[in-house]
Amino acid sequence: MSTYSPSEIEAKWQAAWSEADVFKAVRSIAKPKYYVLEMFPYPSGRIHMGHVRNYTMGDVIARYKIATGHNVLHPMGWDAFGMPAENAAMASGGHPKDWTYQNIADMKAQMQPLGLSIDWSREFATCDPEYYGQQQALFIDFLAKGLIYRKKAVVNWDPIDMTVLANEQVIDGKGWRSGAEVERRELVQWFFKISDYSEELLTAIDSLDNWPAKVKLMQSNWIGKSRGLQFSFGLVDGPAGHDRVEVYTTRPDTLMGASFVGISPDHPLAKELERTNPALAAFCDECRKGGTTAAEVEKADKKGYDTGLTVRHPFDTSWELPVYIANFILMDYGTGAIFGCPAHDPRDFEFATKYGLPIIATFLPDADANPELTEAFVPLKSEKVTYVKGFAGAPDQTGEDAVDAAVDFCEANGVGHGVTKFRLRDWGLSRQRYWGCPIPIVHCDDCGAVPEAKENLPIELPYDVTFDVPGNPLDRHPTWRNCACPSCGKPAMRETDTMDTFVDSSWYYARFTSPHAATPTDLDDAAYWMNVDQYIGGIEHAILHLLYSRFFARAMNMTGHLPDSAVEPFNALFTQGMVTHAIYQSTGANGRPVYYYPEAVALRDDKAFLISDGSEVEIVPSAKMSKSKNNVVDPDDILAKFGADTARWFVLSDSPPERDVEWTASGAEATFKHISRVHRIATEVAAMGGAPGQGDDELLRAMHKAIEDVTSGVESFGFNAAIAKLYGFTATLAKSKAGGAAKREAMCVLAQLMSPMTPHLSEEIWTMLGGQGLVVNAPWPVADPKMLILDTVTMPIQINGKRRSEIAVAADMPKDEVEKLVLGLDIVVAALNGAAPKKLIVVPGRIVNIVI
RNA sequence: GGCCGUGUGGUGGAAUGGUAGACACGAGGGAUUCAAAAUCCCUUGCUUUAACGGGCGUGCCGGUUCGAGUCCGGCCACGGCUACCA
């Protein structure tokens, strides 16, 4: 009898799949199509358990859909541009391109042994010129349709590295790499006009039925629609050109509670005043330097600077309000100016208290409430309140009604107009970096910024660059920069900025439908394969990547690259949890934690001891895998030790897929034992004759129940539940005294039900038992409804809601007969003690409850 | 601060309003073995009882219901996202 040897059988069956080319996706009207996609990885060089879990989930879906008669597209690629490649080049002197392609080769080599059902013929990396050249074509088409424009924008500039930094690369106001004080610089940059689609992207969220509610909510909040009033205060004796201050408010109903006007330090009026007032300029400078981290904002005091100017209240021109420059007002939201209503805004309250400004309540909880407030009164807008300084609508009304009434009143009286604002801002795509998709623009002295001619695409990144000098190497590469103007032919210069890497990932799903087309997409292929039926990835992409992709699909539709049916590209989204692992740590001599590798630790009685000296160390459970904490489990090691089927099964078995799963060595070993056991049972079954045995029918009934349970588990992403049922069915099969024929049938079905999770083992068993062809091509088993009906059922008997007994009855026994039977039970007779039951509830096939 | 989510054995976790704790880990006991490995079997929420059995039990308090882990209201704790968004 052969023993289970994953290394042999996994290589064998991967070769067989490859030989039969079973995962190649070909358009066909013979079957319904199904497109399953996992978020493609950044080629860091090593895969981790999180990847294994992500791709296994996608693979289970893909293999299940193949078995249920679908034409499946399951591609894989690489999100290959980005800063780590440049950082590596700077650190070790290599080239980003070489580094990236080497990493891709390494990661692919690690992924192949997992036995994923991927159509590798569609593989691409976003740093392939064939891909980013098409992205440049998209850029040119978007530009022509007005979906891209240029404007000045403030960036974080690192003066030592001579580069722009993302917000998260600025730590305490200093560059994360150089440590230099970061400057705010205005650069002319390219923007996608995603704000054109704010309303559309928001309302379409409702149609995303198979997206997690959480992700939809996060996107709604991010788009941030608000309804309010925009109006202006007349400025008294303002500097030349400044006679009004425009403000935006979502609470125009509190206009009579105004006590000051606040403007951002970046507001044009503030900038004007800075020119003549050094103290004021110093204050604004101070505000701009203020940290942007959450903790700093939390701590930061409300600070203001009295400009000495005043404005007139729109309802009463004799009522003047002071104008402050305040550190808490943002220039890029609304108009960069507010009116302060301390009674109904906690920030304004803090500010007014500090600077001795009046606090005027405009509404109160009820007519008798004390108008002297000790803190801002901010009820829900849906709550009814009593207006003591209202000017529109009923005296008692909800905030919502009052806002509507106030907007109507103001519009009727020529004080501003109602406006809808969105928090979502246009997407700046310029990056002053080498390792990204070049922006296909040429700057010509005569013609200005001109798009490159499409026949000149791709504009390839030059290879001969170095990173020993700070700054973008494209800037100092004359032969690459210098070119002819595509419009007039005169000497001109290329744009040296490259695109944000989020652009690369915003349309790769569409490119997979025709990865080698000479245009960004092939419309016939896109129409056939789109949308992605099931998208799987991490929750960390809930906002940016998914929102950008939704925008891109619309923009591609507008420019003729995607059909109307594909504007919402992902029909269903699933966000999976992480793989975690315990940390083993002790406290070092300096008081800092010291971390130990799992291999250095022995576990006994839920305690951990160092193998080296036997001393006990602390166990911190369920921590995100992190190299610095020494709690990373390398998939290579696991595959070498147990094989892919064990790894795949384990990452799905212990937790629901949307939640984190804890990797434990004991759990992985137990999985391996189980898989080995299934293999052993199969070899035993294969050796049996075909004679009937005891309980053939029972085994087959259990088999049909397993088909039903596992199928519904896989359909609903309940992989852990499906696996639990497979454990149960395996135990039933192992214990069964059924004959060879029934066992063989049950074993074949078990192999099929396991095949999405353990495809190699399933092929092995399938062949061992004489199955036809490959199990990957075998149709998914269907449960026979007749075999699911039970003859007898066990019903619990409750007395006053507490379980006291149970009876076994025929499944189709009428209700009144069940009642009779129950009332005759000793325990019931004793409980009733001669009295009649107050109530008798019989739920057929479920439960009986007697109320006494 | 805002929004969202989650609280069930020693652990990960199951339970269309209908027997709470499936399945797995861990732990304990046994069989097999010269011995071990491997394998197989049994026990395992807490508590009380010699036993049969009983009591308690899904973060806390209350409500709806014949019946609540599940539904409703109010608290507490933890986690996530977002943030001076006017």
Side-chain angles (χ1 to χ4, degrees), chain A residues 25-34 69-72 524-525 527-529:
Chain A
V26 181
R27 257 167 64 189
S28 154
I29 50 161
K31 295 180 190 175
K33 71 94 187 177
Y34 195 91
H70 294 80
N71 196 27
V72 170
D524 288 340
D525 283 328
Y528 177 81
W529 289 113

Side-chain angles (χ1 to χ4, degrees), chain A residues 115-130:
Chain A
L116 302 171
S117 63
I118 287 166
D119 177 0
W120 286 104
S121 74
R122 290 174 187 258
E123 175 191 8
F124 60 76
T126 56
C127 65
D128 295 342
E130 294 73 26

Side-chain angles (χ1 to χ4, degrees), chain A residues 11 18 24 70 93 107 143 152 191 218 225 256 271 283 325 387 396 443 473 489 582 593 652 671 678 727 767 797:
Chain A
S18 175
K24 189 172 177 74
H70 294 80
M107 274 179 88
L143 184 68
K152 264 191 178 178
F191 284 82
M218 284 164 79
K225 183 179 182 176
M256 295 307 287
K271 288 191 172 168
F283 175 81
I325 297 171
Y387 279 76
D396 288 338
H443 297 279
L652 298 180
T671 299
V678 173
Y727 272 112
T767 297
I797 309 295

Side-chain angles (χ1 to χ4, degrees), chain A residues 291-617:
Chain A
T292 52
T293 65
E296 281 171 311
V297 168
E298 193 78 34
K299 270 189 303 188
D301 276 343
K302 303 279 174 282
K303 276 188 292 193
Y305 187 95
D306 189 348
T307 61
L309 294 170
T310 59
V311 293
R312 292 200 176 85
H313 195 281
F315 293 173
D316 176 3
T317 48
S318 68
W319 180 4
E320 293 188 11
L321 302 172
V323 177
Y324 281 79
I325 297 171
N327 64 341
F328 64 93
I329 299 168
L330 307 171
M331 189 58 222
D332 47 10
Y333 185 78
T335 60
I338 61 154
F339 78 80
C341 179
H344 305 298
D345 183 298
R347 293 161 303 179
D348 297 348
F349 189 93
E350 187 186 334
F351 192 82
T353 307
K354 187 165 178 183
Y355 293 102
L357 296 162
I359 295 164
I360 311 156
T362 60
F363 54 78
L364 295 167
D366 54 70
D368 305 328
N370 182 3
E372 299 293 317
L373 300 175
T374 53
E375 59 176 353
F377 174 50
V378 193
L380 291 175
K381 270 190 186 172
S382 54
E383 240 169 71
K384 221 173 202 181
V385 290
T386 299
Y387 279 76
V388 291
K389 283 196 182 302
F391 55 89
D396 288 338
Q397 59 182 337
T398 65
E400 274 154 13
D401 291 342
V403 168
D404 289 345
V407 170
D408 290 347
F409 177 89
C410 289
E411 284 186 341
N413 288 278
V415 178
H417 52 279
V419 290
T420 299
K421 283 211 186 290
F422 292 93
R423 210 184 73 116
L424 180 65
R425 285 170 234 154
D426 280 336
W427 170 16
L429 68 111
S430 299
R431 295 292 181 272
Q432 292 68 34
R433 295 278 174 190
Y434 166 77
W435 193 233
C437 172
I439 293 175
I441 290 288
V442 171
H443 297 279
C444 170
D445 285 343
D446 293 345
C447 309
V450 187
E452 185 52 90
K454 277 200 185 168
E455 58 266 30
N456 294 338
L457 300 184
I459 305 302
E460 277 196 57
L461 287 168
Y463 184 78
D464 55 334
V465 290
T466 56
F467 294 86
D468 45 358
V469 188
N472 181 351
L474 296 177
D475 269 337
R476 46 174 197 271
H477 194 297
T479 54
W480 185 80
R481 267 198 97 169
N482 296 336
C483 63
C485 171
S487 174
C488 69
K490 282 191 198 160
M493 303 261 261
R494 285 193 191 291
E495 168 96 28
T496 57
D497 284 354
T498 53
M499 296 185 205
D500 178 7
T501 56
F502 271 116
V503 181
D504 311 333
S505 55
S506 291
W507 72 286
Y508 77 109
Y509 52 87
R511 183 70 181 167
F512 274 137
T513 64
S514 48
H516 309 299
T519 47
T521 56
D522 175 293
L523 269 186
D524 288 340
D525 283 328
Y528 177 81
W529 289 113
M530 288 295 284
N531 296 337
V532 176
D533 292 281
Q534 182 65 60
Y535 197 29
I536 304 170
I539 187 76
E540 65 273 20
H541 294 112
I543 299 175
L544 294 183
H545 163 60
L546 290 166
L547 192 62
Y548 291 157
S549 294
R550 296 178 61 217
F551 161 70
F552 243 74
R554 286 168 172 78
M556 287 175 74
N557 170 245
M558 189 185 178
T559 49
H561 296 294
L562 279 179
D564 292 347
S565 55
V567 293
E568 207 51 84
F570 310 125
N571 288 350
L573 173 71
F574 190 88
T575 53
Q576 95 280 6
M578 296 182 302
V579 181
T580 63
H581 190 276
I583 294 173
Y584 304 107
Q585 63 178 49
S586 64
T587 306
N590 58 2
R592 292 255 181 93
V594 180
Y595 301 106
Y596 303 95
Y597 288 103
E599 307 88 80
V601 170
L603 295 173
R604 276 196 309 276
D605 303 342
D606 293 337
K607 291 186 178 126
F609 302 91
L610 282 186
I611 292 167
S612 54
D613 64 4
S615 62
E616 187 176 347
V617 295

